[in-house]
Amino acid sequence: MEQTDFKQINSIFNRQLSNVDLAFKRYLYNEIDWDTRLIGIRGARGVGKTTLLLQYIKENFKDKSKVIWASLDNLWFKNHRLEDFVEYIYNHGVTTIFLDEVHKLDDWALYLKNFYDSYPDLKIVYTGSSMLEIDNSKVDLSRRQVLYTLGNMSFREYLNFVGALKYNALTLEQILNDHVNIAMDITSQIKVFPLFEKYLHNGCYPFFVEAKNNYLLQLNSVIQLVIESDMPSVMDVTYSTVEKIKRLLMLIVSNVPFVPNITKLAQILESSRDNCLKMLYALDKANIISLLTKQTKSYKHLASPEKVYLNNPNLMYALSGNVDLGNIRETFFFNQLQHFTDVVMPNQGDFFVDGKYLFEVGGMSKTFDQIKNIPNSFLVQDDMEVGFGNRIPLWLFGFLY
C-alpha cells in the first residue's frame, strides 16, 4: 500500500476526530480496561460506539501518529485489503488500531485473530453494530479478547447529556434500601416528570440531538437496516425470511406486550416453530425486542418466551402509532434492569430480578394485591416523585447505569 492510499483514510480519521465532543461520555467509557490488547465493543446501531472510540483517542493520544481509527463500512475498503492496511500502519509506528463496524467484513474474526497473533505489540479495539454477528463468530476470540456491551442511554445518562443533572449511577440495592432520600435529593434539583416524558419519547439514543424532529423516522430506518442488512449477513437468510421477520416484528408491535403462541405464530408466518423461535431470538439479540422468559434466557437453548416487549420506549413511538401507557412503564423498567441484572417472568407480579426481588409495575392506583405477603416485593409506580416503604418511583430505576 502506498502513502497516497493511506492519506485518504487518515484524513477521514482526522476529520472525525476533530468533530468529536468530550463533554458527555457513555457509562461504558470508564468501565473498559483500555490496556487490554484486544477489546470488543458490541451494541445496537446508534448507541454511540463510534463516538466512544474517538473520545478515547482524543483524550489519551497526544501523538496521533501512534493511533488510527477506521470504519470498515467505508468504501475505501472495497479496493484496499485490511491486511495490507494493518501491515502498513504497523510498519509506520502505529501502536493502537481502532476498527469500527467489523461485521461489514467477511471473516472479520479470523482477521482479528491473525492480527492479534502476528503483531504481538499492537493493541486492537473493535466495534460491531450488530450483536448478532459478533456472537455468531466461527473463530473463538474468547481467550484473546475482553468483550463489552454498550446498551442504550439510561435516564440518568439522558439527564447528563441534556445538561439537566449530573448524578452518579446507583446500584439496585441502593435504590431499594434508600430510594426515599435519593428521590428527594434528585427532585430538589430538577423537575423529573417533564424530563422523564421526553426521555421515554426520544432519549434512548444519543443521535436524537442531531436528528431533532426526524429522530423517530431515523430510528425506524435504523431498525430496517438491522433487519435488511445485518441479519442476512449473520443468519444467511433469504429475502423471504427477511420479510417474515418484518412481519413478525409488526405483529409484536401491534400487540405488545406480546404473549406468543409459537405454534400459531409459525402458522401465520408460514414457517416452522423452530424458525419462528430463531427469528424472535434474532430480534432480541439485535436489541429490537426483549424476550421475558421463565428461566434465565439462553441463546443456545431457545425456550418459548412468556412475553415479548420492544427493547425500549423510543422504539414503541417509532414503530407504533398507538402507545399504551402500561406497556411503556413495563418496557422502561425491563430495559433499564436487563443490562445488569437477571430478569425473568415470575408466577406472581411482573418481573423477578436476580433470583430474589419481585416487582409489580403500574400507576398510582396500583396496589400490593398481586404480590402481598411475598418477601422482597416492591411496587414500582409511575407519576410518583418520591416513594415510601416498598413503593418506589418508576423513573428512579433509570439511574442504574
Side-chain angles (χ1 to χ4, degrees):
M1 192 173 74
E2 301 297 328
Q3 184 178 4
T4 52
D5 295 317
F6 173 73
K7 187 176 180 180
Q8 181 182 352
I9 202 73
N10 193 49
S11 295
I12 296 171
F13 164 49
N14 289 325
R15 189 159 55 246
Q16 291 276 22
L17 195 63
S18 65
N19 290 327
V20 73
D21 191 349
L22 297 175
F24 169 78
K25 300 184 182 75
R26 293 298 317 278
Y27 71 92
L28 193 63
Y29 184 92
N30 292 318
E31 295 180 7
I32 295 172
D33 181 1
W34 294 99
D35 291 329
T36 306
R37 270 197 60 210
L38 179 59
I39 298 171
I41 303 171
R42 61 185 181 180
R45 289 182 178 270
V47 295
K49 299 182 300 299
T50 298
T51 299
L52 188 149
L53 297 190
L54 293 170
Q55 285 176 329
Y56 181 77
I57 295 170
K58 192 168 188 175
E59 195 168 51
N60 292 276
F61 286 87
K62 292 182 179 180
D63 185 356
K64 298 302 185 290
S65 68
K66 299 292 185 181
V67 62
I68 189 69
W69 167 92
S71 180
L72 298 186
D73 67 349
N74 192 295
L75 290 175
W76 188 87
F77 285 100
K78 294 296 183 182
N79 57 0
H80 295 86
R81 300 195 313 165
L82 180 59
E83 57 266 44
D84 294 338
F85 171 68
V86 173
E87 177 71 13
Y88 179 88
I89 59 106
Y90 179 79
N91 289 333
H92 285 77
V94 169
T95 59
T96 307
I97 182 171
F98 293 79
L99 297 174
D100 238 338
E101 305 283 358
V102 297
H103 59 281
K104 289 297 183 179
L105 181 71
D106 292 338
D107 296 324
W108 62 268
L110 181 60
Y111 279 101
L112 292 179
K113 176 186 177 297
N114 288 338
F115 296 153
Y116 182 94
D117 294 340
S118 302
Y119 305 97
D121 54 345
L122 179 67
K123 290 183 180 179
I124 304 168
V125 183
Y126 73 90
T127 75
S129 291
S130 169
M131 296 175 69
L132 303 175
E133 191 165 2
I134 291 175
D135 282 346
N136 255 5
S137 166
K138 296 178 181 178
V139 178
D140 181 17
L141 294 174
S142 59
R143 293 181 295 106
R144 296 172 174 84
Q145 73 171 349
V146 176
L147 184 60
Y148 298 90
T149 299
L150 182 63
N152 58 266
M153 282 207 304
S154 67
F155 180 45
R156 182 193 71 87
E157 288 185 294
Y158 170 80
L159 293 173
N160 185 357
F161 193 33
V162 299
L165 176 72
K166 286 189 177 182
Y167 210 87
N168 292 332
L170 304 169
T171 65
L172 180 58
E173 283 69 24
Q174 282 178 306
I175 292 176
L176 299 184
N177 295 326
D178 198 27
H179 62 88
V180 175
N181 290 325
I182 295 170
M184 289 178 65
D185 181 32
I186 294 172
T187 55
S188 70
Q189 301 179 60
I190 59 170
K191 294 185 181 297
V192 167
F193 290 153
L195 290 163
F196 188 48
E197 185 176 347
K198 289 180 180 179
Y199 168 80
L200 294 175
H201 192 271
N202 66 357
C204 292
Y205 301 88
F207 66 86
F208 78 85
V209 173
E210 297 174 1
K212 297 181 180 177
N213 293 334
N214 293 320
Y215 171 71
L216 294 180
L217 288 174
Q218 288 193 21
L219 184 53
N220 197 302
S221 298
V222 167
I223 297 165
Q224 290 189 52
L225 187 60
V226 169
I227 296 174
E228 295 175 355
S229 178
D230 292 350
M231 285 187 181
S233 67
V234 176
M235 301 170 61
D236 192 25
V237 296
T238 63
Y239 173 80
S240 174
T241 302
V242 168
E243 293 303 305
K244 287 179 181 179
I245 292 173
K246 290 181 183 177
R247 189 179 176 193
L248 172 60
L249 177 59
M250 295 319 295
L251 284 171
I252 294 168
V253 167
S254 61
N255 293 281
V256 285
F258 187 63
V259 181
N261 181 318
I262 301 300
T263 301
K264 288 185 178 179
L265 202 54
Q267 291 174 352
I268 294 171
L269 297 173
E270 298 178 343
S271 184
S272 69
R273 187 181 186 281
D274 285 347
N275 283 337
C276 190
L277 279 173
K278 287 178 182 178
M279 286 188 280
L280 280 171
Y281 276 80
L283 286 167
D284 179 90
K285 292 184 73 177
N287 287 346
I288 296 175
I289 65 174
S290 293
L291 304 179
L292 185 63
T293 54
K294 279 284 188 183
Q295 304 296 326
T296 300
K297 189 166 51 186
S298 169
Y299 294 108
K300 293 182 179 179
H301 306 287
L302 307 185
S304 178
E306 300 298 319
K307 283 187 178 181
V308 181
Y309 295 89
L310 289 177
N311 180 266
N312 62 69
N314 289 186
L315 295 178
M316 297 175 66
Y317 286 105
L319 293 170
S320 175
N322 184 21
V323 178
D324 176 73
L325 179 57
N327 187 25
I328 282 281
R329 293 165 177 158
E330 292 183 24
T331 300
F332 167 77
F333 183 84
F334 191 14
N335 173 258
Q336 301 289 288
L337 267 78
Q338 67 179 335
H339 294 296
F340 301 103
T341 62
D342 179 32
V343 186
V344 298
M345 177 79 172
N347 293 324
Q348 294 174 265
D350 292 323
F351 302 98
F352 192 49
V353 177
D354 284 344
K356 56 182 175 179
Y357 302 120
L358 182 64
F359 296 94
E360 179 79 10
V361 180
M364 287 292 289
S365 61
K366 177 67 71 172
T367 68
F368 267 99
D369 289 347
Q370 288 182 279
I371 55 174
K372 61 183 178 181
N373 301 323
I374 299 177
N376 292 320
S377 60
F378 301 86
L379 278 185
V380 179
Q381 295 182 280
D382 199 8
D383 298 323
M384 174 188 283
E385 279 197 345
V386 180
F388 57 94
N390 281 17
R391 298 173 183 264
I392 305 176
L394 175 65
W395 62 264
L396 192 52
F397 288 91
F399 279 71
L400 286 169
Y401 67 94

